[in-house]
């Protein structure tokens, strides 16, 4: 098991993490290096306190409250197997590298939701066996039907566009973890313009550049910020579709066209004011 873990810079701007108390944020961050290669660790509040914050002033009750908040916000799976509690960090694999070398976890897997639903099926006295079997078959049939519809929808529709900065970056640049130099560039942009702008910027870099690079992404942002472009749709209104791949499609040419367009709009507005 690795002795170190990756902690992405985006953790500081995660809405889920920032809804936690100050102690909750500290506890969540400190738990990550103590997990095994599958993002799991003991879940007893007493054990968590002894393992993660042994020198802190917080009580076992404080730890229990913080873990409950993490569970409510979807940051962890806090589950129980054979009377013992465990913790699974949600989406742990997405933020770690080198996990292909991991060995079997010494902690049990989180219970599958399908099994939980099956176990909650009520028994009917006198005919419980037949009733349970029929209900299970009905649930299985519905599940299979839903899976079939999902496959049909996927085959008839195009792949959905990335919905997060992480997904967009992986889609354009590949890899699971955002490199530190890319993170340093993207974080101030996210804080200033928001996630949607950062996603659009990354996807534009992938579409416009033959081989996407950080330098090209910086160039696109510089030109977008100068003329007030906030999405690929805005950018496309300032260039013909046929210009893709032509010299006129370069960000410098886009900025020049956008600047002229903006100047013309200001002049028209000024003339309207004077004539009014």
């Amino acid at each position: 098991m690795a002795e170190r873990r990756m902690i992405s810079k985006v953790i500081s701007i995660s809405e889920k993490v920032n809804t936690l108390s100050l102690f909750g944020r500290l506890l969540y961050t400190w738990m990550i290096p103590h997990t095994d290669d599958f993002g799991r660790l003991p879940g007893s509040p007493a054990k968590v306190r002894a393992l993660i914050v042994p020198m802190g002033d917080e009580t076992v009750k404080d730890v229990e409250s913080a873990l409950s908040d993490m569970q409510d916000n979807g940051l962890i799976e806090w589950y129980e197997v054979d009377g013992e509690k465990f913790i699974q960090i949600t989406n742990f694999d997405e933020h770690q590298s080198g996990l292909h070398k991991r060995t079997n976890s010494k902690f049990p897997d989180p219970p599958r939701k399908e099994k939980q639903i099956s176990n909650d099926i009520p028994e009917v006295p006198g005919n419980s066996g037949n009733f349970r079997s029929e209900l299970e078959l009905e649930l299985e049939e519905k599940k299979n039907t839903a899976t079939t519809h999902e496959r049909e929808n996927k085959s008839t529709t195009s792949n959905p566009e990335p919905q997060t900065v992480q997904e967009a970056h992986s889609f354009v640049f590949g890899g699971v973890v955002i490199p530190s130099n890319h993170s340093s560039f993207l974080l101030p942009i996210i804080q200033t313009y928001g996630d949607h702008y950062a996603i659009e910027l990354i996807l534009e870099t992938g579409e416009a550049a033959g081989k996407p690079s950080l330098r090209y992404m910086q160039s696109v942002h510089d030109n977008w910020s100068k003329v007030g472009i906030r999405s690929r749709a805005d950018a496309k209104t300032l260039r013909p579709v046929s210009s893709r791949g032509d010299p006129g499609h370069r960000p410098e040419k886009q900025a020049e066209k956008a600047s002229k367009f903006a100047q013309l709009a200001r002049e028209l507005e000024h003339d309207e004011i004077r004539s009014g």
Side-chain angles (χ1 to χ4, degrees):
M1 184 179 72
E3 295 295 325
R4 297 177 179 84
R5 296 294 174 204
M6 298 285 293
I7 298 180
S8 174
K9 291 182 179 179
V10 297
I11 195 173
S12 63
I13 57 173
S14 166
E15 292 185 3
K16 291 183 178 180
V17 174
N18 280 283
T19 57
L20 303 176
S21 65
L22 184 60
F23 171 64
R25 281 173 267 173
L26 176 70
L27 184 66
Y28 175 73
T29 306
W30 282 14
M31 283 197 311
I32 294 174
H34 286 274
T35 60
D36 69 359
D37 291 339
F38 292 81
R40 300 171 191 164
L41 69 159
S44 161
K47 290 182 179 179
V48 172
R49 184 188 181 283
L51 180 65
I52 310 302
V53 286
M55 302 177 67
D57 295 329
E58 288 76 14
T59 65
V60 173
K61 191 69 176 177
D62 294 330
V63 172
E64 182 177 9
S65 177
L67 292 177
S68 180
D69 289 342
M70 295 178 206
Q71 169 88 340
D72 292 341
N73 284 282
L75 293 168
I76 64 172
E77 287 186 65
W78 195 17
Y79 59 100
E80 185 174 322
V81 176
D82 295 333
E84 187 172 356
K85 283 188 170 293
F86 303 94
I87 292 171
Q88 166 77 65
I89 301 291
T90 305
N91 298 327
F92 176 79
D93 293 6
E94 296 180 7
H95 300 284
Q96 304 301 321
S97 60
L99 293 180
H100 60 282
K101 301 178 182 178
R102 58 186 174 182
T103 57
N104 293 333
S105 177
K106 65 179 180 179
F107 303 110
D109 296 342
R112 292 179 59 188
K113 292 183 179 179
E114 292 84 358
K115 290 183 179 179
Q116 292 175 343
I117 293 174
S118 176
N119 290 337
D120 289 340
I121 296 174
E123 300 247 358
V124 177
N127 195 28
S128 60
N130 292 335
F131 177 82
R132 187 180 181 88
S133 176
E134 291 173 2
L135 185 54
E136 286 179 341
L137 288 173
E138 183 180 351
L139 289 174
E140 185 66 24
E141 183 179 355
K142 289 181 179 179
K143 179 181 176 182
N144 292 336
T145 302
T147 302
T148 301
H149 288 326
E150 182 180 353
R151 289 174 180 171
E152 290 175 352
N153 290 335
K154 286 184 177 179
S155 63
T156 57
T157 59
S158 58
N159 292 329
E161 288 200 338
Q163 300 299 309
T164 66
V165 176
Q166 175 77 36
E167 291 176 359
H169 191 277
S170 297
F171 179 76
V172 172
F173 293 94
V176 177
V177 179
I178 300 178
S180 58
N181 56 339
H182 287 215
S183 295
S184 298
F185 168 69
L186 289 170
L187 280 175
I189 289 177
I190 293 172
Q191 293 169 348
T192 303
Y193 299 97
D195 285 0
H196 178 71
Y197 175 85
I199 293 171
E200 290 289 294
L201 175 64
I202 295 170
L203 294 178
E204 172 71 6
T205 301
E207 291 180 3
K211 185 177 181 182
S213 65
L214 175 59
R215 180 174 296 180
Y216 192 90
M217 184 162 56
Q218 292 170 330
S219 176
V220 174
H221 169 62
D222 288 343
N223 287 289
W224 277 19
S225 61
K226 287 178 183 177
V227 297
I229 293 176
R230 293 295 179 266
S231 68
R232 289 172 293 158
D234 292 345
K236 287 177 181 177
T237 61
L238 302 177
R239 69 171 187 270
V241 176
S242 60
S243 67
R244 286 188 173 275
D246 296 336
H249 177 59
R250 295 171 183 167
E252 295 82 359
K253 294 294 183 180
Q254 286 183 237
E256 181 181 348
K257 290 180 182 179
S259 179
K260 291 180 180 179
F261 181 81
Q263 178 63 31
L264 178 60
R266 287 194 294 269
E267 291 176 357
L268 290 174
E269 182 181 359
H270 181 66
D271 291 342
E272 290 178 359
I273 294 174
R274 291 181 60 186
S275 62

